[in-house]
Amino acid sequence: MKIMSVTIKDIARVAGVSYSTVSKALNNSSLVKDTTKQRIIAIANKMHYEPNYAAQKLVSKQTKIIGLIWPTIDRVVLSSLVTQINKKINQTPYSMILSVDSVQASLDRFKRFQVDGIILFEESTDTTIKHDTIPLISYGVSRDNQMNYPIIDPNHEKAMYEAVKYLIELGHHSIAYIGDFSASDPLQVTKYHGYKKAMQHFGLPLDKNHQIDTKGLDWYNGYSAGNKLLKNTNLPTAIIGGSYDISAGVIRCIKEEKLNIPQDLSIISCDNVPEMEKLEVPLTCIGVPIDHLANEIVKSMIMYIENKELEPCVKKMTPVLSERNSCAKK
Amino acid sequence: MKIMSVTIKDIARVAGVSYSTVSKALNNSSLVKDTTKQRIIAIANKMHYEPNYAAQKLVSKQTKIIGLIWPTIDRVVLSSLVTQINKKINQTPYSMILSVDSVQASLDRFKRFQVDGIILFEESTDTTIKHDTIPLISYGVSRDNQMNYPIIDPNHEKAMYEAVKYLIELGHHSIAYIGDFSASDPLQVTKYHGYKKAMQHFGLPLDKNHQIDTKGLDWYNGYSAGNKLLKNTNLPTAIIGGSYDISAGVIRCIKEEKLNIPQDLSIISCDNVPEMEKLEVPLTCIGVPIDHLANEIVKSMIMYIENKELEPCVKKMTPVLSERNSCAKK
DNA sequence: TTGAAAGCGTTACCAG
DNA sequence: CTGGTAACGCTTTCAA
């Protein structure tokens, strides 16, 4: 029970022309007389012709599709970025598909599909990515060793520097960090690293009790870690939250301790997403705005695709501080 | 500067055989001597060969790819389902790609890719879907009018019935519902509808003050709505939470009111996801377990693809009650 | 057990 | 302007 669909040959037969003429007519080529063109198009419509994309792709080598590899969709933080990237891509002649598998499996699949370009959300540095042929750019942390594709880096180290600087300018000297220290996610590692580096840079002491490992990125992880921090006899005057969800949890436990934000305790969060505004306490945050990120990623991707000259480079983005009402002068 | 990828001809050249032999070897045909087969496969691996889907499709009419349409990835609840479905599909000869666009745009894209089948997460009933040729099944609510493809229905109405029944058996008579009433999402509407229907069925009064519209599906929506409910002079003895995040927010505000779960107030949540266990208070919940859902969806999809005989039907799934410690006898 | 060749539905080139 | 024909990368006969 195979249903054969209409091909250009069928149309050619009906129209009484060669199938190459049909092809040209359907592609609106100027090499076909206008009257025959119209006639052929009319016939094609009447026969409900639909081009076979497999065949088209086979010869034209272009799919106008960009593949995005997103190994763990559970990381909610990124879904907002994915949505933005998709929007941007749709403003171009390209469109996007997603693969939620392991990096290598996704890479293989996209290669078979012959997508025109690949965007990779890199969530671990363990695996060496062997990409050939297809233009690939990665969103993540630059690693200085073997780097054979361009990287868009949200520059969390710089963000942490700015956060610490901002708090110091407000008069804070005791600044805590609550975030995920787990070594597997390079983005999280960089935040923690950046915090410590900034503190040292400004000559502030690194108090072990003021560095809390959430061991996860969920709301509740932030909440628990916050409780641990507030048990200290010597409280910090400001807290840096490692991510949106973590900060949300921290807010909660601060309020439970009957402390006021920002009068008793200032808090600033990593990641610059609009949702920060809608939290229980609207949060000052530091990070590259999602749409800057999406813009840069899509722009680079398409440039890379269209003139394959883009050489492996690291584009470090510029974090922006979005002030709300969660930090006060000390 | 076009970089061609490896084809069977390249492999043939290296292996010193004809390319038709390579094709057979790679498809594990019995028409090739085992030793040459192994040799060819080894070479193919070394050369990082990946078959070209377009070419395969052109001749064999199959891509072994299933497309999943997921219009709004922000709905976190579903990401867990997507992950499960992906896992299941990977246990078959098929694999999965995702499109996060509007239904129609996604449909077009998948058609272009000639995927073998399409799974649709339907999040609104406004648009009429015109699908042709490609097998399509939908996850969502059955609508009785024009239905031209199979639907997997999580049966929230039944779930609500079971929830109410369960609470009544524990001795509750004053049961509140906190959920999203917004008419745009059919899944949410069904929950609310099912609650009301069940209450009436068991002859329980429907108190307007015990039906709170969260106007959203986020944690904070649940939190606010919970506060509104607890302002009542006449408190319910049990609450049904409309979704995972909503229930999480409700828990929070119950605790802030210094009420104990389940001694002072019982709570049960819609949606049966493993994460319920890890909440501040592990939650009893009612719903079709995620992996039942994933199993059914993938099974039906593949059956549909392989013998196109599956007629438009609605498969209503069976909700399961997962008991934890959030409901007590009254 | 292997190879040659036809064909899948297009596009693109070159003659006419 | 139009038609013929060679690709594209693969599977599948049919011969050898």
Side-chain angles (χ1 to χ4, degrees):
Chain A
M1 106 151 228
K2 58 157 65 176
I3 312 154
M4 285 309 303
S5 36
V6 197
T7 74
I8 50 172
K9 295 194 181 178
D10 300 320
I11 299 175
R13 204 173 312 116
V14 174
V17 294
S18 78
Y19 67 86
S20 58
T21 304
V22 175
S23 171
K24 285 172 205 149
L26 262 21
N27 288 300
N28 197 23
S29 157
S30 55
L31 298 173
V32 187
K33 193 166 46 171
D34 223 42
T35 54
T36 39
K37 197 190 285 183
Q38 296 312 325
R39 195 164 57 85
I40 291 174
I41 291 175
I43 293 175
N45 286 335
K46 203 177 306 158
M47 297 177 75
H48 299 301
Y49 168 76
E50 295 286 344
N52 181 320
Y53 291 104
Q56 282 182 324
K57 189 160 52 175
L58 194 55
V59 48
S60 70
K61 295 298 196 187
Q62 284 239 344
T63 54
K64 290 290 178 197
I65 299 271
I66 292 171
L68 169 33
I69 302 178
W70 187 13
T72 53
I73 53 175
D74 313 40
R75 291 287 153 81
V76 189
V77 206
L78 292 180
S79 74
S80 164
L81 219 201
V82 173
T83 309
Q84 274 300 318
I85 291 178
N86 189 55
K87 261 187 210 141
K88 293 289 171 204
I89 290 182
N90 284 341
Q91 290 162 11
T92 73
Y94 293 83
S95 35
M96 186 188 92
I97 57 173
L98 233 56
S99 173
V100 297
D101 261 316
S102 78
V103 175
Q104 198 53 55
S106 306
L107 236 31
D108 290 347
R109 190 170 314 147
F110 283 153
K111 196 170 156 192
R112 291 178 182 204
F113 263 129
Q114 310 264 94
V115 297
D116 291 343
I118 296 176
I119 298 170
L120 170 63
F121 282 5
E122 211 162 353
E123 293 189 335
S124 95
T125 42
D126 333 319
T127 42
T128 310
I129 290 143
K130 44 174 200 294
H131 84 298
D132 13 26
T133 81
I134 303 179
L136 169 324
I137 78 176
S138 158
Y139 168 74
V141 175
S142 45
R143 26 175 178 166
D144 13 49
N145 44 345
Q146 36 80 244
M147 180 191 56
N148 34 20
Y149 42 80
I151 291 178
I152 311 286
D153 184 332
N155 210 345
H156 288 311
E157 187 168 322
K158 178 84 180 301
M160 286 298 95
Y161 175 88
E162 298 290 347
V164 170
K165 187 171 152 228
Y166 173 71
L167 291 170
I168 288 176
E169 282 168 1
L170 287 176
H172 295 274
H173 297 103
S174 179
I175 303 171
Y177 178 78
I178 298 181
D180 190 3
F181 298 1
S182 56
S184 64
D185 185 338
L187 254 20
Q188 304 310 320
V189 171
T190 311
K191 289 174 182 172
Y192 180 43
H193 193 78
Y195 159 76
K196 287 190 291 189
K197 204 165 154 189
M199 291 293 278
Q200 283 167 339
H201 175 269
F202 288 107
L204 258 33
L206 277 169
D207 183 343
K208 271 291 169 199
N209 293 321
H210 286 177
Q211 304 165 37
I212 315 287
D213 185 359
T214 55
K215 303 195 165 116
L217 288 168
D218 291 330
W219 184 92
Y220 197 68
N221 299 316
Y223 178 74
S224 317
N227 276 328
K228 207 185 281 178
L229 175 68
L230 297 184
K231 274 214 194 74
N232 276 288
T233 46
N234 127 43
L235 283 186
T237 62
I239 299 177
I240 302 176
S243 79
Y244 171 77
D245 287 308
I246 288 176
S247 300
V250 173
I251 293 180
R252 188 62 255 159
C253 79
I254 292 176
K255 297 208 105 184
E256 277 174 34
E257 292 292 324
K258 304 275 184 237
L259 295 173
N260 291 314
I261 301 171
Q263 295 80 4
D264 302 323
L265 202 43
S266 291
I267 172 164
I268 180 173
S269 178
C270 286
D271 296 342
N272 198 331
V273 289
E275 286 86 352
M276 293 287 181
E277 179 69 47
K278 297 189 300 179
L279 281 172
E280 218 178 326
V281 176
L283 235 48
T284 294
C285 62
I286 177 83
V288 184
I290 287 297
D291 58 319
H292 290 197
L293 239 29
N295 271 334
E296 183 63 32
I297 291 173
V298 173
K299 202 188 70 189
S300 307
M301 180 81 264
I302 291 178
M303 217 160 63
Y304 195 5
I305 292 175
E306 296 188 343
N307 47 11
K308 313 226 165 183
E309 303 310 338
L310 188 56
E311 50 199 73
C313 66
V314 176
K315 169 82 182 181
K316 293 216 182 199
M317 303 291 291
T318 308
V320 171
L321 187 95
S322 295
E323 245 178 321
R324 299 198 175 85
N325 244 339
S326 64
C327 298
K329 280 227 173 79
K330 203 68 214 169
Chain B
M1 116 152 220
K2 59 156 63 174
I3 311 155
M4 288 307 303
S5 39
V6 192
T7 73
I8 51 172
K9 294 193 182 177
D10 300 319
I11 299 175
R13 205 174 311 118
V14 174
V17 295
S18 77
Y19 66 86
S20 56
T21 305
V22 174
S23 171
K24 286 170 202 152
L26 261 22
N27 289 302
N28 198 20
S29 156
S30 54
L31 299 173
V32 187
K33 193 167 46 170
D34 223 42
T35 53
T36 40
K37 194 188 286 181
Q38 297 311 325
R39 196 163 55 87
I40 290 173
I41 290 174
I43 292 175
N45 286 334
K46 203 176 307 157
M47 297 176 76
H48 302 304
Y49 168 75
E50 296 289 339
N52 180 319
Y53 275 129
Q56 276 181 328
K57 176 83 187 186
L58 196 55
V59 48
S60 70
K61 308 285 189 203
Q62 288 232 347
T63 55
K64 292 290 178 195
I65 295 278
I66 292 170
L68 170 32
I69 301 179
W70 186 13
T72 53
I73 53 176
D74 312 41
R75 290 290 152 80
V76 189
V77 206
L78 292 179
S79 75
S80 164
L81 218 203
V82 174
T83 310
Q84 275 300 316
I85 291 179
N86 190 54
K87 262 190 209 139
K88 292 289 173 208
I89 290 183
N90 284 342
Q91 289 162 11
T92 72
Y94 292 83
S95 34
M96 185 188 92
I97 58 174
L98 231 57
S99 173
V100 297
D101 260 317
S102 77
V103 174
Q104 198 53 57
S106 306
L107 236 32
D108 289 346
R109 189 168 317 146
F110 283 152
K111 194 171 161 197
R112 187 146 16 120
F113 264 129
Q114 313 263 98
V115 298
D116 290 345
I118 296 176
I119 299 170
L120 170 63
F121 283 4
E122 210 162 353
E123 293 189 336
S124 95
T125 41
D126 333 317
T127 43
T128 310
I129 289 141
K130 45 173 200 293
H131 83 300
D132 15 24
T133 78
I134 303 179
L136 169 322
I137 78 177
S138 158
Y139 168 74
V141 175
S142 45
R143 26 176 179 164
D144 12 47
N145 44 344
Q146 36 81 244
M147 180 191 56
N148 36 16
Y149 42 81
I151 292 178
I152 311 287
D153 185 331
N155 208 345
H156 287 310
E157 187 169 322
K158 178 85 181 299
M160 286 298 93
Y161 176 89
E162 297 291 347
V164 171
K165 185 170 154 229
Y166 173 72
L167 290 171
I168 287 176
E169 281 168 2
L170 286 176
H172 294 274
H173 297 103
S174 178
I175 303 170
Y177 177 78
I178 299 182
D180 190 3
F181 299 179
S182 57
S184 64
D185 186 338
L187 253 22
Q188 304 311 319
V189 171
T190 311
K191 289 174 182 172
Y192 180 42
H193 193 79
Y195 159 77
K196 287 189 292 189
K197 203 165 155 188
M199 291 294 278
Q200 284 166 339
H201 175 269
F202 288 107
L204 258 34
L206 276 170
D207 183 342
K208 270 290 169 201
N209 293 320
H210 286 179
Q211 304 166 36
I212 315 286
D213 185 358
T214 55
K215 303 198 164 113
L217 287 166
D218 291 330
W219 183 92
Y220 197 68
N221 299 318
Y223 178 74
S224 315
N227 275 327
K228 206 184 285 177
L229 175 68
L230 298 185
K231 274 214 193 78
N232 276 291
T233 46
N234 127 41
L235 283 187
T237 62
I239 299 177
I240 302 177
S243 80
Y244 171 77
D245 287 309
I246 287 175
S247 301
V250 173
I251 292 179
R252 188 61 256 161
C253 78
I254 292 175
K255 296 207 106 184
E256 276 175 33
E257 293 291 323
K258 303 279 183 235
L259 294 173
N260 290 315
I261 302 170
Q263 296 80 3
D264 301 324
L265 202 43
S266 291
I267 172 165
I268 180 172
S269 178
C270 285
D271 296 340
N272 198 330
V273 289
E275 286 86 352
M276 294 287 182
E277 179 69 47
K278 298 189 300 179
L279 282 172
E280 219 178 326
V281 176
L283 236 47
T284 294
C285 61
I286 177 81
V288 185
I290 287 296
D291 58 318
H292 291 197
L293 239 29
N295 271 334
E296 183 64 31
I297 291 174
V298 173
K299 203 189 69 191
S300 308
M301 181 80 265
I302 291 179
M303 219 159 64
Y304 195 5
I305 292 174
E306 296 188 343
N307 46 13
K308 314 224 166 186
E309 303 310 339
L310 188 55
E311 50 198 72
C313 66
V314 176
K315 169 82 183 180
K316 293 215 182 201
M317 303 290 292
T318 308
V320 170
L321 188 94
S322 295
E323 244 178 321
R324 299 199 174 84
N325 244 337
S326 64
C327 298
K329 280 224 173 80
K330 201 69 212 168

